């Protein structure tokens, strides 16, 4: 096959949406730069680019059959790529980095774009370098752990205590677990322990920073951290030395607009001793590489997250690669003995002969305090995670108090009406007396609690904050943006339904009550992709009422709020917001880092590669008290059998 023939085939593949125009352009770039490039190299380049767009840092040449089935590649492509002899080209480097400026790198059986190969190597080196630090002496640690985790039941492993001990022992740790398993509680106690020991030995406290991938995740951790610090059994000096301010990773690193560079890097590292990153499943490979590059060599890195959630939108699945063995523990006999001496917990059932250094720095929390044994949501999440179709069907067909199932083929209630009313006929009133109201809940609060015109700016700030809190009571989640069950269609239908019901003054343009989400970072405003705000009519500093978009005010924000005061919200004129979208409905990907009292999850009727077990689990676990699912059983079955897989070499690089 000639190069020209291959380019024609790639053009045809682009027309059939097997490739993107960007992938075709990259293949053409390779052909122009190397006139002698083999047709096979052009195909490899195009596919490596295409897979990167799907979140895979590399093209794994040992997984061609699985990739071909997933992406509907022609059989001829697989046959061509199966050639074990690597192409020869100055544009293709081997893993030793020669030639150094080659845009493609072949590392054993994985083909990378050079930048992502460098990211993966950087993350592996950054983590491996922290696995062999000096462990904390046992002396004094047991007493601290017993005070912070006063659990009397010696027959069960207290996994938060184990996680705390392992994290205190080294300079890198991962604490993973499902919703409500106590990750935040554990890390606050860990910080209390570290700060107590440090202040006992030195006069100055540890410099601790807390971060999350998105503004929503940062705001939620902010609230949770503050509550946990109040309950912490430590001295006032220690309590005061634990920060409550949580910032986004972009703000922490000093992101520069229109650039991939950050203010903090290896030559100008972060000024900290401990870094805690929450919702680490959302951290992509490039971001983790930037964090590790900016982290001082002496600093501790603690990652929190749910390994079973969806991976990051961008390339990589760092938390998944780190904790894919966490379920079985894979502890060494030495670590098991150390844990027994230090914590009193017996983890011998989780000892394996193939224990690796990384395994000794990872703990999985296994008991959910949010979902009890009688919780339908909790049982459904466990069944979905296990791929237990029989149990899932049984739960959807039951009359669980906190789950409602609507078959989209037979539902007599339109999605928009469900969104407005919150399935009030299906669920009983909560113990507080509040019946589910869907989006009525925040719109009623908007109207009924509106301050009078003579009340001051702080009253309007408080009202806006309450409206934002009320909006988080209910959320509709989807798999895709387009199509009958996509966010674009649902947002239009819901807005029209709310307008027809007289709950909003318009269903298009800017109107009071319109919820919007940032779809791109705006560094000048201090607003990040995923931040959600509500459009409200409020007085400005001149006393004139205008439409503002109110966003939650997170600690440490540099944004100047137009209506001043000790703001609980940040208020921005709509004219200053460029990239926003109405967000009555959002994708499950966008919802990560958030929780809602009542979540309605809409499954697409048609087969979709997005519909995976991880997607369904993530959507279900956004609900705290009520969950409605709308779809077909065939969609549920597809989700249970289809797994999210990110092809990378990170786990292999860390297996030492």
């Amino acid at each position: 096959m000639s190069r020209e023939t291959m380019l024609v085939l790639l053009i045809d593949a682009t027309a059939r949406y097997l490739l993107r125009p960007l992938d075709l352009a990259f293949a053409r770039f390779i052909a122009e730069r190397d006139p002698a490039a083999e047709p096979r190299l052009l195909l490899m380049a195009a596919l490596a680019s295409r897979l990167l767009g799907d979140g895979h840092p590399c093209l794994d040449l040992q997984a061609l059959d699985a990739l071909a089935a997933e992406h509907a590649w022609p059989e001829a492509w697989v046959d061509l790529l199966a050639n074990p002899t690597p192409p020869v080209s100055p544009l293709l480097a081997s893993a030793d980095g020669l030639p150094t400026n080659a845009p493609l790198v072949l590392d054993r059986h994985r083909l990378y774009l050079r930048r992502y190969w460098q990211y993966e190597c950087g993350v592996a080196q950054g983590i491996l370098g922290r696995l062999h630090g000096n462990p904390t002496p046992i002396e004094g640690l047991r007493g601290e752990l017993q005070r912070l985790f006063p659990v009397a039941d010696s027959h069960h492993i207290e996994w938060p205590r184990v996680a705390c001990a392992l994290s205190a022992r080294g300079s890198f740790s991962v604490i993973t677990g499902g919703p409500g398993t106590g990750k935040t509680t554990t890390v606050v106690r860990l910080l209390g322990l570290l700060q107590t020991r440090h202040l006992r030995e030195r006069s100055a406290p540890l410099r601790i920073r807390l971060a999350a991938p998105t503004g929503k995740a940062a705001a939620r951790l902010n609230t949770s951290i503050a509550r946990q610090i109040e309950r912490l059994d430590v001295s006032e000096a220690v309590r005061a030395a634990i920060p409550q301010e949580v910032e986004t990773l972009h703000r922490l690193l000093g992101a520069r607009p229109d650039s991939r560079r950050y203010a903090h890097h290896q030559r100008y590292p972060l000024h900290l001793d401990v870094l805690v990153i929450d919702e680490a499943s959302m951290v992509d490979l490039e971001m983790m590489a930037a964090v590790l590059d900016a982290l001082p060599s002496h600093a501790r890195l603690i990652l929190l997250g749910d390994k079973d959630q969806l991976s990051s939108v961008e390339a990589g699945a760092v938390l998944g690669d780190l904790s894919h063995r966490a379920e079985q523990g894979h502890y060494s006999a030495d670590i098991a003995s150390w844990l027994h001496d230090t914590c009193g917990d017996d983890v011998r059932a989780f000892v394996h002969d193939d224990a690796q250094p990384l395994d000794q720095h990872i703990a999985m929390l296994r008991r959910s305090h949010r979902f009890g044994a009688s919780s339908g949501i909790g049982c459904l999440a466990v069944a979905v995670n296990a791929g237990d179709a029989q149990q899932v069907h049984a739960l959807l067909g039951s009359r669980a108090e906190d789950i409602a199932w609507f078959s989209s083929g037979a539902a007599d209630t339109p999605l928009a009406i469900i969104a407005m009313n919150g399935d009030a006929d299906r669920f009983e009133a909560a113990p507080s007396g509040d019946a589910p109201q869907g989006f009525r809940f925040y719109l009623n609060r908007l109207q009924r609690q509106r301050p009078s015109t003579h009340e001051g700016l702080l009253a309007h700030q408080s009202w806006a904050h309450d409206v934002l809190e009320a909006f988080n009571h209910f959320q509709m989640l989807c798999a895709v943006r387009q199509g009958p069950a996509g966010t674009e269609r649902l947002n239009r239908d819901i807005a029209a339904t709310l307008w027809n019901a007289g709950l909003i003054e318009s269903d298009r343009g800017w109107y009071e009550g319109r919820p919007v989400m940032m779809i791109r970072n705006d560094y000048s405003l201090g607003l990040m992709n995923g931040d959600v705000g509500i459009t409200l009519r409020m007085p400005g500093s001149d006393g004139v009422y205008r439409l503002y978009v109110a966003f939650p005010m997170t600690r440490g924000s540099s944004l100047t709020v137009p209506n001043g005061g000790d703001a609980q919200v940040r208020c921005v004129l709509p004219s200053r917001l460029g990239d926003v979208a109405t967000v009555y409905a959002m994708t499950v990907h966008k919802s990560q880092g958030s929780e809602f009292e009542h979540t309605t999850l809409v499954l697409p009727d048609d087969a979709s590669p997005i519909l995976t077990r991880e997607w369904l689990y993530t959507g279900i676990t956004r609900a705290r008290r009520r969950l409605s699912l709308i779809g077909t059983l065939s969609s549920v079955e597809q989700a249970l059998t289809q797994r999210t897989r990110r092809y990378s070499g990170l786990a292999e690089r860390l297996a030492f």
Side-chain angles (χ1 to χ4, degrees):
M1 181 186 299
S2 67
R3 288 157 36 92
E4 290 70 22
T5 301
M6 174 56 72
L7 287 172
V8 170
L9 291 175
L10 295 179
I11 292 171
D12 178 66
T14 304
R16 292 186 290 123
Y17 302 104
L18 294 177
L19 297 173
R20 304 169 299 172
L22 176 64
D23 312 323
L24 176 61
F26 184 55
R28 282 174 165 162
F29 166 81
I30 297 296
E32 291 170 2
R33 290 296 184 94
D34 181 9
E38 297 179 34
R40 179 164 53 116
L41 182 62
L42 305 185
L43 176 61
M44 292 169 67
L47 293 181
S49 173
R50 180 68 185 90
L51 289 173
L52 186 62
D54 287 337
H56 305 281
C58 64
L59 165 62
D60 191 333
L61 297 172
Q62 288 188 353
L64 292 176
D65 290 339
L67 286 167
E70 181 180 344
H71 297 276
W73 291 349
E75 188 175 335
W77 288 8
V78 178
D79 294 339
L80 188 62
L81 295 173
N83 186 339
T85 304
V88 177
S89 170
L91 304 182
L92 178 65
S94 59
D96 58 13
L98 299 174
T100 57
N101 61 345
L104 294 168
V105 176
L106 185 63
D107 192 339
R108 287 171 286 186
H109 56 88
R110 297 183 179 95
L111 179 72
Y112 296 82
L113 273 66
R114 170 167 288 279
R115 185 152 48 88
Y116 283 85
W117 177 75
Q118 292 172 331
Y119 292 151
E120 189 172 282
C121 291
V123 169
Q125 292 167 5
I127 291 174
L128 288 172
R130 286 180 158 74
L131 297 185
H132 305 289
N134 295 326
T136 301
I138 293 177
E139 182 182 356
L141 186 56
R142 180 175 183 127
E144 294 286 348
L145 289 170
Q146 288 179 340
R147 181 172 55 80
L148 292 169
F149 298 90
V151 178
D153 186 359
S154 60
H155 299 290
H156 295 88
I157 300 172
E158 179 66 7
W159 285 106
R161 184 168 54 202
V162 169
C164 195
L166 292 175
S167 298
R169 185 177 183 272
S171 58
F172 174 79
S173 59
V174 176
I175 301 175
T176 186
T181 51
K183 296 185 292 293
T184 304
T185 303
T186 301
V187 82
V188 169
R189 293 180 183 181
L190 169 63
L191 296 179
L193 185 153
L194 295 175
Q195 202 66 278
T196 297
R197 293 176 65 86
H198 192 81
L199 286 172
R200 189 180 297 152
E201 299 168 1
R202 300 185 175 100
S203 57
L206 287 166
R207 298 170 299 174
I208 300 172
R209 302 285 289 275
L210 310 174
T214 66
K216 288 187 301 178
R220 190 165 66 87
L221 181 60
N222 223 334
T223 303
S224 182
I225 285 279
R227 287 198 304 263
Q228 295 299 331
I229 291 176
E230 292 176 1
R231 306 170 187 168
L232 194 58
D233 182 15
V234 294
S235 68
E236 285 300 325
V238 170
R239 191 176 288 113
I242 300 175
Q244 298 184 32
E245 176 185 326
V246 185
E247 54 198 324
T248 65
L249 287 170
H250 285 85
R251 185 180 296 280
L252 172 78
L253 295 174
R256 295 175 174 172
D258 303 318
S259 171
R260 306 184 93 102
R261 298 180 181 274
Y262 296 94
H264 291 283
H265 44 75
Q266 188 176 35
R267 293 190 300 275
Y268 183 57
L270 293 161
H271 303 294
L272 54 79
D273 301 306
V274 179
L275 175 59
V276 177
I277 301 179
D278 193 25
E279 297 290 350
S281 63
M282 301 169 64
V283 181
D284 59 83
L285 185 64
E286 181 177 1
M287 177 57 77
M288 187 60 74
V291 168
L292 287 163
D293 187 52
L295 202 63
S297 58
H298 73 276
R300 294 175 184 265
L301 176 60
I302 303 164
L303 303 180
L304 308 179
D306 186 346
K307 68 180 182 63
D308 297 313
Q309 281 190 24
L310 283 167
S311 300
S312 57
V313 175
E314 302 299 329
V318 177
L319 185 69
D321 286 338
L322 290 172
S323 54
H324 68 287
R325 288 155 55 99
E327 191 87 39
Q328 292 78 32
H330 289 275
Y331 297 123
S332 68
D334 288 344
I335 285 294
S337 176
W338 182 86
L339 286 170
H340 187 268
D341 292 341
T342 306
C343 313
D345 291 292
D346 185 356
V347 299
R348 285 178 296 177
F350 296 88
V351 169
H352 292 263
D353 293 336
D354 63 343
Q356 299 169 1
L358 176 63
D359 299 323
Q360 319 315 306
H361 296 256
I362 297 174
M364 179 175 171
L365 310 185
R366 300 157 194 270
R367 179 187 174 193
S368 177
H369 302 281
R370 181 188 308 169
F371 304 129
S374 62
S375 165
I377 298 173
C379 292
L380 184 61
V382 170
V384 166
N385 215 4
D388 189 341
Q390 184 176 357
Q391 179 66 5
V392 169
H393 289 170
L395 287 165
L396 294 180
S398 70
R399 295 291 294 179
E401 293 182 356
D402 54 352
I403 296 178
W405 162 255
F406 299 90
S407 174
S408 58
D412 55 3
T413 307
L415 290 179
I417 301 298
I418 291 175
M420 183 172 68
N421 296 322
D423 313 338
D425 295 336
R426 169 64 180 83
F427 292 108
E428 297 179 1
S432 62
D434 295 329
Q437 300 180 56
F439 290 122
R440 281 185 185 271
F441 185 74
Y442 90 94
L443 291 169
N444 285 340
R445 181 164 295 185
L446 185 159
Q447 294 295 339
R448 296 173 183 174
Q449 297 185 10
R450 183 193 303 275
S452 60
T453 55
H454 68 271
E455 294 187 72
L457 296 178
L458 289 180
H460 284 84
Q461 288 280 349
S462 179
W463 165 67
H465 179 266
D466 288 346
V467 172
L468 283 164
E469 289 289 310
F471 181 75
N472 281 330
H473 276 237
F474 178 85
Q475 184 63 57
M476 184 165 280
L477 304 180
C478 310
V480 294
R481 288 189 302 148
Q482 299 176 338
T487 58
E488 293 179 0
R489 169 74 177 273
L490 286 176
N491 279 314
R492 289 196 303 269
D493 290 352
I494 293 168
T497 301
L498 296 175
W499 180 54
N500 290 331
L503 294 172
I504 55 177
E505 59 194 24
S506 177
D507 63 345
R508 61 196 64 191
W510 288 103
Y511 54 87
E512 189 171 49
R514 180 190 177 193
V516 296
M517 173 184 282
M518 298 292 297
I519 57 177
R520 190 170 300 172
N521 295 340
D522 190 325
Y523 298 100
S524 65
L525 294 176
L527 295 171
M528 298 293 117
N529 184 1
D531 286 353
V532 173
I534 305 291
T535 310
L536 298 172
R537 189 168 285 105
M538 299 177 65
S541 57
D542 56 2
V544 177
Y545 279 75
R546 302 180 181 89
L547 285 179
Y548 287 99
V549 182
F551 293 88
M553 176 67 78
T554 56
R555 297 176 187 267
S557 171
S558 60
L559 184 71
T560 300
V561 181
N563 37 351
D566 295 326
Q568 298 182 63
V569 298
R570 54 181 77 179
C571 299
V572 184
L573 289 169
S575 58
R576 298 190 65 191
L577 297 173
D579 297 313
V580 296
T582 303
V583 71
Y584 295 110
M586 70 174 71
T587 62
V588 169
H589 274 94
K590 288 289 188 182
S591 75
Q592 285 186 268
S594 301
E595 294 176 347
F596 312 99
E597 294 299 300
H598 182 184
T599 298
T600 294
L601 185 60
V602 183
L603 284 71
D605 291 340
D606 299 328
S608 170
I610 295 175
L611 198 57
T612 63
R613 189 185 302 179
E614 291 79 8
W615 178 90
L616 185 56
Y617 170 82
T618 304
I620 289 169
T621 53
R622 297 313 88 200
R624 290 182 61 88
R625 288 169 47 197
R626 299 185 181 94
L627 172 69
S628 302
L629 293 101
I630 303 173
T632 63
L633 288 177
S634 61
S635 294
V636 174
E637 290 167 357
Q638 179 197 343
L640 293 176
T641 57
Q642 192 162 279
R643 301 299 305 269
T644 299
R645 172 84 187 269
R646 292 282 173 91
Y647 293 94
S648 83
L650 182 59
E652 189 174 308
R653 296 182 197 279
L654 293 169
F656 294 104

